[in-house]
Amino acid sequence: MAAFTWEVRVYYEDTDSGGVVYYANYLRFMERARTEWMRSLGFEQDQLIREEGILFAVRSANVEFLQPARFNDLLSVGLDVVQRGRASLTFSQAVARSDDASRPLCTGDIKIACLDAASFRPHPIPDFILKEIPDVV
């Protein structure tokens, strides 16, 4: 079971000509889950830019496509923080049908970097954020 999960419905616009979720949309679903995870911790990304001068951006993504999702499927997008760096977080994420979370359709290891919003240079993740993120086992 993932530390955080978020559900999303597959809309027609999410599918390709074959009637399955277009591969790039899995990355969108994972991004939205990370945004909702941050929100659940009490952080709004636009507020972090405005008030703290920081933003988070994807540094790398390694994604495996295992099975197709189709129009109208209800998906569960899970995430676990698997590594905490001084200016980065690495997530293990999985997308599955909500009624069968044990069989992932897509998995990904996503590394995000904390950046200074003005210079786009690495910036240490502020302590007030780190204290809300559970320790990595």
Side-chain angles (χ1 to χ4, degrees), residues 24-75:
N25 287 331
Y26 289 100
L27 289 169
R28 293 172 61 156
F29 299 155
M30 290 179 185
E31 175 76 29
R32 291 176 190 170
R34 290 190 309 276
T35 297
E36 293 302 326
W37 170 76
M38 288 284 291
R39 184 172 283 132
S40 78
L41 296 177
F43 306 114
E44 295 290 343
Q45 294 193 56
D46 58 340
Q47 189 173 6
L48 290 173
I49 293 170
R50 230 180 13 259
E51 296 176 7
E52 303 297 328
I54 61 168
L55 56 86
F56 291 94
V58 172
R59 171 92 164 96
S60 64
N62 182 16
V63 182
E64 295 281 333
F65 304 98
L66 306 169
Q67 297 180 34
R70 299 185 189 316
F71 172 72
N72 216 25
D73 282 349
L74 182 61
L75 305 178

Side-chain angles (χ1 to χ4, degrees), residues 64-114:
E64 295 281 333
F65 304 98
L66 306 169
Q67 297 180 34
R70 299 185 189 316
F71 172 72
N72 216 25
D73 282 349
L74 182 61
L75 305 178
S76 177
V77 186
L79 69 81
D80 288 295
V81 177
V82 294
Q83 186 174 3
R84 289 172 33 159
R86 183 172 131 89
S88 66
L89 297 170
T90 303
F91 296 87
S92 176
Q93 292 194 251
V95 180
R97 285 185 188 82
S98 290
D99 62 357
D100 191 5
S102 67
R103 292 182 54 204
L105 307 175
C106 178
T107 60
D109 295 316
I110 313 295
K111 184 174 187 175
I112 63 167
C114 182

